[in-house]
């Protein structure tokens, strides 16, 4: 079964510093990987996805993610954190049924706290 | 362009009651998926609808049922509510007849069971 793991419950970073939120995956076949962000009392907002191609994927709000096949990782990064980036971040992997229908399998989430 | 909408925003129910949650997909999308997000956890897949039929289902009991209408909107019904059903229920829509990988999420319905 497809799965992702987010080893950190919380990441703390000072504003202006680079941030990394970690994700590792376990899949059969080629991985389709996603990052979503959730602000308080809000749904999930799509940040970026990796399907194929360049290992560095650029997304919304200045975020990017690095796909590493040998380490089975898909870490989310941003060169300079903002206080407004404080939120809950979810890594997800696509799971395809035999019928071709797709669903997302999510990690447990990482809370990012950016201090002023 | 309206995104995915859900109603109601919040709901409080008593154990044993039944609840219906509603979702309208993003314009142009034909597939609706429902997820349950318990406090402190990631979203868990409940089921998915396309062409008014349930296409796949996660590990949830039969108390959880759904429906999709001809306009692609969807309902999630939960019978015989348990305290453990308290969660944020997220609806996601996608296009491509269910084969598109990217899903767009609504703001969710917060269900509290007392």
């Amino acid at each position: 079964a497809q799965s992702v793991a987010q080893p950190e419950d919380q990441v703390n970073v000072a504003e202006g510093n680079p941030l990394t939120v970690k994700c590792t995956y376990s899949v059969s076949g080629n991985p389709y990987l996603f990052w979503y962000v959730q602000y308080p009392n809000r749904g999930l907002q799509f940040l970026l996805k990796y399907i194929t191609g360049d290992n560095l994927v650029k997304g919304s709000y200045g975020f990017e993610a690095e796909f590493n096949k040998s380490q089975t990782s898909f870490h989310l990064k941003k060169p300079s954190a903002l206080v407004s980036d404080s939120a809950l971040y979810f890594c997800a992997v696509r799971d395809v049924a035999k019928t071709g229908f797709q669903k997302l399998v999510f990690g447990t989430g990482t809370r990012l706290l950016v201090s002023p | 362009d309206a995104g995915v909408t859900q109603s109601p925003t919040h709901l409080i129910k008593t154990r044993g009651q039944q609840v219906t949650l509603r979702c309208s997909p993003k314009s142009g999308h034909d597939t609706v998926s429902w997820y349950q997000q318990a406090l402190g956890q990631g979203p868990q897949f409940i089921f998915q609808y396309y062409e008014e039929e349930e296409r796949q289902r996660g590990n949830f009991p039969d108390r959880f049922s759904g429906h999709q209408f001809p306009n692609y909107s969807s309902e999630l019904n939960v019978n015989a509510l348990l305290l453990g059903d308290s969660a944020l229920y997220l609806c996601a829509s996608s296009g491509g007849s269910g084969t598109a990988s990217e899903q767009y999420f609504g703001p969710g319905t917060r269900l509290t069971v007392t």
Side-chain angles (χ1 to χ4, degrees), chain B residues 75-91:
Chain B
E75 289 181 349
L76 163 65
N77 301 293
V78 187
N79 294 323
L81 284 167
L82 303 173
L83 295 179
D85 295 331
S86 295
L88 180 67
Y89 288 84
L90 296 165
C91 170

Side-chain angles (χ1 to χ4, degrees), chain B residues 1 7 9 11-12 21 25 27 38 41-42 49 54 56 66 74 80-81 83 85 87 92 95 108 112:
Chain B
D1 173 27
S7 63
T9 305
L11 204 52
I12 300 175
L21 311 181
S27 178
Q41 297 186 21
Y49 279 84
E54 183 181 293
Q56 57 175 331
S74 176
L81 284 167
L83 295 179
D85 295 331
T112 301

